[in-house]
Amino acid sequence: MLEKNKNLLDIKKLKVSFFTEEGEIRAVNNVNFSIPNGKIMAVVGESGCGKSVTAYSILRLIQKPGKIMDGEIIFHPADDKPLDILKLGEKSDELYKIRGGKISMIFQEPMTALSPVHTIGNQICEAILIHQDVTKIEARKNAADMLAKVGIPNAKNRLDHYPFEMSGGMRQRVVIAMAMVCHPQLLIADEPTTALDVTIQAQILKLMKDLQKDLNMSILLITHNLGVVAQVADEVAVMYLGRIVERSDVRTIMKNPRHPYTIGLLKSLPSLSMEKTELPSIKGSVPSLTDIPNGCPFHPRCPYYKPKVCDAGNPPDLNAVDDNHDVACFRTSQIQNEIAGKERCRL
Amino acid sequence: MNENIKNITSTPLLQVKGLCKYFPVFSKGFFKKQIGVVKASDNINFNLVTGETLGLVGESGSGKTTTGRAILRAITPTAGEVILNYKNELIDLTKISHKKLKQLRPFMQMIFQDPFSSLNPRMTVQDIIAEPLVIHKMAKGSVLEDRVIQIMKKVGLKPEHKSRYPHAFSGGQRQRIGIARALIMNPALIVCDEAVSALDVSVQAQVINLLSDLQQEFGLTYIFIAHDLSVVKHICDRVAVMYAGKIVELAKTNEIFENPLHPYTKALLSAIPSPDPDKPMNMNISGEVADPGNLPPGCAFAPRCEFCVQQCEQQIPKLKHLADDRYVACHRSWNVEDSP
Ligand SMILES: Nc1ncnc2c1ncn2[C@@H]1O[C@H](COP(=O)(O)OP(=O)(O)O)[C@@H](O)[C@H]1O
Ligand SMILES: Nc1ncnc2c1ncn2[C@@H]1O[C@H](COP(=O)(O)OP(=O)(O)O)[C@@H](O)[C@H]1O
Ligand code: SF4
Ligand SMILES: [Mg+2]
Ligand SMILES: [Mg+2]
């Protein structure tokens, strides 16, 4: 028996760059986090902060002009010994088995994962036949079962439909079914509900939560929506400019954030329970990755910024401030004192 | 909102009466035959007073954009009236000539969702902002230049960036360019179509604050289209909830949020994921967003409604006036209030 690791995946010192006319763009810069077994781990941050690039790296889907520069992605499969995904050969069997098998991925826009000219039945069967040793008839039956499981009414008849005959929400269900047919241990979901209406988003989030519990898999949920994070995630990492600035369990992040960026993000959410007043906002905008500020990358926008402390040298490390709570800020303890007593966050 | 401004005129700035926009639906294949209509915007009624912000919310395809465009006559309505109070003259926008319409254009502007695709990438920011004035021959030379700089400052853009191209700006800054372009015409009415929807939260808050400040300063009237209810709450005085081309509920903002009467409004509110993990969202809303091209015979929401009775499946509910500024289109709107 292999001893079961607490985490399914450990990402260590991941660095990914894009080489463009403007020079090297450090899209992911020294990212460390782990995805626990049987949990939903969310990576949240504003557009361009490196969420998708991080996710793509796990499946080695980074293409030119991008390059994984450094780091380890250690996968601990339930049924096999751990391996570093970044060390696998580009065309190796192991990588092939992981992609779409042990680890699968869904995207924001379901049509990117679906072919418009094939029936959904054929597409799901193909996914099954690549990774499983079953007959075509069995594959078709499995496909229908999976469609029913993801809540598609009349699943058997639906097999012969084309994606354009379905609504956006139904298509996303099909994509989830396709990702689930090989019983992945990790599902990577990149903004899976961003293109959906709010009532349909609720349905898809429930589906993902239910599947995660039933099959006891792990989910890496990538999103910019803090509400979605609060409602479904167990653990959260907050990204800014290619780095993780804060990481903890969902309750701590939402109720007791310690990084000024997380605090600012949560405050700037228009809330349903709030009076119509000036919305608190984070000043300025996210700088370009070609022009990352020295010291703490957040310092030009930070209300707690201190000259000479925050704006020089290397960026702050992600340090533990508590059990299972890491923050990358030079002034964590001073800030804690400064706002002690004051309402840190209106939640 | 600025109460002084509101009370100056007793006639509303805008009266929308029975406004409809239907699109033909054609058969697939080579000989396209018309086989029906999509009632994208169907019998829309509301008034808008100067300085007010009306929210238009609903899920995709509910007819928000169509309604906004039909009001400004960016598309020709199928039926109905849109009566604009233009300097104390009442003008039905649906009936006037194109020449007259062009004359009124500066008065009514639109701001779009995608700041990038709505800006010409080959024009400098200064030219983009100045363009509406140039087209309408309203200013030129140094007067024009001064006006552009003044507006850029107003919306929080740096005048020294005036010779840059749109790609050199972030999403939030591009939305500011879009706002500057609308504002330079000195409009009274602005339709903001998902104007902040594509922006990241930290920037979204800045743009919402900017829109509020500009409203205070210039007494602007907004129709604020959004699919995100929490954004609407922050900026609107009243909210109209749309479903499948119709307004299903219209009320003061706080009433919509504190005591929603239409089952769809309730569903929509309960489905918003709260950033507070202790306030669980409702994940049990069934069914799909209605397709306005293929509606059931009765209430469009009936197939998804937990309060649905037989009458709902047979008869389309009318928008009823319940109380002051409170309208609901639901056969059971008297009863839903008592429901759990
Ligand atoms: N194909 C590419 N070419 C150049 N730069 C890229 C490419 N893909 C991503 N990037 C850069 O990587 C950064 C992070 O991108 P991404 O991970 O997609 O952000 P997000 O957090 O929105 O998912 C972007 O800001 C962009 O500058
Ligand atoms: N030019 C058009 N031709 C045909 N149908 C249209 C056209 N524009 C919009 N529609 C249809 O009208 C309905 C309402 O669309 P729209 O006003 O864009 O909704 P919203 O802005 O609320 O998402 C949709 O079903 C859409 O498909
Ligand atoms: S290091 Fe300084 S600038 Fe960065 S978040 Fe902390 S206080 Fe703000
Ligand atoms: Mg992304
Ligand atoms: Mg629209």
Side-chain angles (χ1 to χ4, degrees):
Chain A
M1 249 324 254
L2 286 161
E3 193 190 332
K4 200 168 174 193
N5 199 59
K6 182 170 139 274
N7 297 324
L8 181 63
L9 199 82
D10 297 311
I11 299 179
K12 294 179 185 169
K13 300 201 170 124
L14 181 66
K15 288 188 179 167
V16 186
S17 289
F18 289 86
F19 294 89
T20 68
E21 284 167 11
E22 289 149 87
E24 181 181 351
I25 293 175
R26 301 204 166 133
V28 172
N29 205 342
N30 206 10
V31 158
N32 296 283
F33 69 90
S34 295
I35 304 174
N37 268 304
K39 291 268 167 69
I40 300 183
M41 165 92 208
V43 174
V44 65
E46 295 178 283
S47 52
C49 70
K51 304 181 297 294
S52 296
V53 170
T54 303
Y56 281 44
S57 303
I58 298 173
L59 287 176
R60 296 272 298 273
L61 292 172
I62 300 295
Q63 280 167 355
K64 274 191 178 166
K67 188 170 187 286
I68 298 178
M69 307 297 288
D70 200 3
E72 293 172 21
I73 297 182
I74 313 288
F75 180 41
H76 307 265
D79 46 0
D80 212 342
K81 56 183 190 305
L83 55 88
D84 182 352
I85 294 177
L86 297 187
K87 292 229 166 64
L88 299 177
E90 198 82 56
K91 300 213 162 72
S92 65
D93 272 359
E94 287 106 319
L95 190 56
Y96 197 63
K97 269 187 207 147
I98 287 175
R99 245 186 232 157
K102 290 178 180 174
I103 302 180
S104 57
M105 185 156 177
I106 60 177
F107 304 87
Q108 169 171 345
E109 185 37 67
M111 280 315 276
T112 54
L114 294 170
S115 152
V117 297
H118 295 105
T119 63
I120 59 168
N122 284 347
Q123 296 185 56
I124 300 176
C125 287
E126 195 188 311
I128 296 175
L129 291 167
I130 289 176
H131 289 281
Q132 289 173 22
D133 190 18
V134 294
T135 66
K136 278 191 178 161
I137 294 168
E138 283 167 327
R140 211 176 142 81
K141 187 183 170 302
N142 292 354
D145 288 349
M146 195 41 87
L147 281 185
K149 201 172 176 89
V150 297
I152 293 190
N154 243 326
K156 256 208 191 99
N157 299 334
R158 280 288 179 166
L159 287 176
D160 299 318
H161 284 206
Y162 290 88
F164 68 81
E165 296 175 284
M166 313 181 108
S167 67
M170 281 298 158
R171 278 184 214 141
Q172 196 60 294
R173 286 178 195 267
V174 170
V175 171
I176 292 175
M178 244 163 95
M180 299 303 304
V181 282
C182 294
H183 309 292
Q185 294 168 29
L186 174 64
L187 175 69
I188 303 173
D190 190 0
E191 306 269 7
T193 59
T194 303
L196 303 176
D197 283 312
V198 53
T199 57
I200 307 303
Q201 164 169 281
Q203 296 170 359
I204 297 292
L205 292 177
K206 176 170 181 355
L207 172 66
M208 288 176 51
K209 263 187 119 157
D210 290 349
L211 287 171
Q212 184 268 328
K213 278 213 192 76
D214 285 359
L215 307 172
N216 195 31
M217 62 176 173
S218 303
I219 295 181
L220 175 62
L221 175 67
I222 308 274
T223 178
H224 69 282
N225 187 327
L226 286 156
V228 168
V229 169
Q231 296 292 320
V232 305
D234 299 301
E235 300 284 322
V236 185
V238 182
M239 275 186 92
Y240 186 75
L241 282 178
R243 293 170 181 277
I244 289 181
V245 295
E246 184 160 12
R247 197 205 55 75
S248 190
D249 61 276
V250 65
R251 191 158 291 273
T252 305
I253 293 285
M254 297 295 156
K255 300 242 175 194
N256 193 14
R258 294 281 299 269
H259 194 285
Y261 178 62
T262 318
I263 296 171
L265 268 189
L266 282 164
K267 274 193 188 156
S268 60
L269 285 181
S271 127
L272 289 180
S273 54
M274 198 182 188
E275 285 311 307
K276 190 181 159 182
T277 48
E278 179 94 347
L279 265 176
S281 62
I282 303 178
K283 69 176 182 200
S285 53
V286 181
S288 154
L289 281 170
T290 51
D291 197 12
I292 297 179
N294 278 339
C296 169
F298 186 59
H299 83 255
R301 307 181 71 192
C302 181
Y304 302 101
Y305 154 77
K306 201 157 201 128
K308 295 207 181 83
V309 177
C310 300
D311 53 7
N314 291 325
D317 288 327
L318 193 61
N319 287 323
V321 296
D322 213 330
D323 281 353
N324 190 33
H325 190 181
D326 308 325
V327 178
C329 166
F330 291 122
R331 305 192 64 232
T332 311
S333 43
Q334 290 92 323
I335 292 172
Q336 185 79 340
N337 294 336
E338 270 175 49
I339 46 186
K342 265 195 261 166
E343 201 188 27
R344 201 161 33 241
C345 166
R346 51 160 222 281
L347 284 178
Chain B
M1 207 57 32
N2 197 326
E3 288 301 326
N4 306 331
I5 294 175
K6 262 184 205 172
N7 295 335
I8 292 172
T9 45
S10 50
T11 325
L13 178 73
L14 194 73
Q15 300 170 59
V16 179
K17 296 181 180 174
L19 186 68
C20 298
K21 178 65 192 181
Y22 299 168
F23 293 109
V25 181
F26 297 99
S27 62
K28 292 198 183 101
F30 190 72
F31 296 102
K32 299 206 183 306
K33 268 200 322 209
Q34 189 180 339
I35 51 173
V37 291
V38 179
K39 296 184 175 178
S41 184
D42 195 16
N43 195 12
I44 303 297
N45 294 284
F46 62 82
N47 289 346
L48 204 56
V49 295
T50 302
E52 186 184 24
T53 302
L54 176 77
L56 220 51
V57 302
E59 295 180 281
S60 57
S62 58
K64 307 179 295 295
T65 297
T66 303
T67 303
R69 291 172 57 88
I71 288 170
L72 297 190
R73 216 175 120 188
I75 45 175
T76 311
T78 309
E81 296 174 2
V82 176
I83 297 171
L84 180 73
N85 181 353
Y86 180 68
K87 301 180 177 159
N88 286 328
E89 181 191 354
L90 296 182
I91 300 171
D92 183 351
L93 292 177
T94 65
K95 305 281 187 315
I96 56 175
S97 67
H98 280 276
K99 195 166 155 234
K100 178 83 178 164
L101 188 64
K102 193 175 169 200
Q103 206 186 322
L104 291 176
R105 270 279 162 255
F107 200 70
M108 335 172 274
Q109 292 288 312
M110 200 147 177
I111 302 171
F112 301 96
Q113 163 165 17
D114 184 350
F116 203 49
S117 63
S118 60
L119 303 178
N120 184 340
R122 281 180 293 277
M123 284 168 73
T124 62
V125 166
Q126 137 176 267
D127 290 341
I128 289 172
I129 297 174
E131 191 182 39
L133 282 186
V134 174
I135 289 174
H136 285 90
K137 300 196 177 63
M138 286 163 69
K140 58 182 179 190
S142 64
V143 178
L144 180 65
E145 239 168 79
D146 290 350
R147 182 89 180 114
V148 169
I149 298 212
Q150 183 196 0
I151 292 286
M152 283 185 79
K153 283 187 191 153
K154 200 98 254 164
V155 301
L157 290 166
K158 293 204 176 88
E160 57 264 36
H161 293 166
K162 66 181 184 187
S163 305
R164 293 194 178 174
Y165 291 87
H167 70 83
F169 292 86
S170 68
Q173 286 172 318
R174 283 183 212 135
Q175 199 53 285
R176 289 174 195 269
I177 299 171
I179 294 170
R181 195 181 140 93
L183 217 59
I184 201 162
M185 305 295 283
N186 262 329
L189 173 66
I190 303 184
V191 174
C192 307
D193 190 357
E194 307 273 11
V196 300
S197 306
L199 302 175
D200 282 314
V201 278
S202 75
V203 181
Q204 193 179 57
Q206 296 170 0
V207 175
I208 291 174
N209 289 338
L210 172 65
L211 287 170
S212 300
D213 293 347
L214 294 171
Q215 177 168 51
Q216 295 280 343
E217 187 169 346
F218 300 110
L220 298 173
T221 307
Y222 291 138
I223 295 178
F224 194 87
I225 296 176
H227 64 276
D228 185 341
L229 270 165
S230 40
V231 170
V232 169
K233 160 122 196 203
H234 222 84
I235 193 163
C236 297
D237 301 295
R238 285 186 302 151
V239 176
V241 180
M242 289 191 71
Y243 194 76
K246 290 191 164 65
I247 293 181
V248 296
E249 182 160 5
L250 173 61
K252 291 212 180 75
T253 306
N254 61 333
E255 299 201 60
I256 286 277
F257 285 89
E258 278 152 32
N259 183 23
L261 289 182
H262 196 284
Y264 177 62
T265 314
K266 286 174 193 268
L268 207 53
L269 281 169
S270 71
I272 298 172
S274 162
D276 183 349
D278 291 331
K279 292 191 186 128
M281 67 193 277
N282 175 6
M283 294 192 169
N284 294 316
I285 298 156
S286 65
E288 297 202 41
V289 177
D291 168 9
N294 182 21
L295 291 179
C299 169
F301 190 59
R304 307 176 72 187
C305 182
E306 56 178 316
F307 306 103
C308 175
V309 293
Q310 205 178 15
Q311 185 191 14
C312 308
E313 287 169 358
Q314 293 161 348
Q315 206 183 331
I316 299 178
K318 290 207 168 61
L319 190 66
K320 277 182 295 208
H321 189 186
L322 294 192
D324 226 24
D325 264 342
R326 189 112 224 215
Y327 299 83
V328 183
C330 170
H331 292 303
R332 306 199 60 210
S333 57
W334 309 100
N335 311 338
V336 278
E337 217 171 352
D338 323 318
S339 67

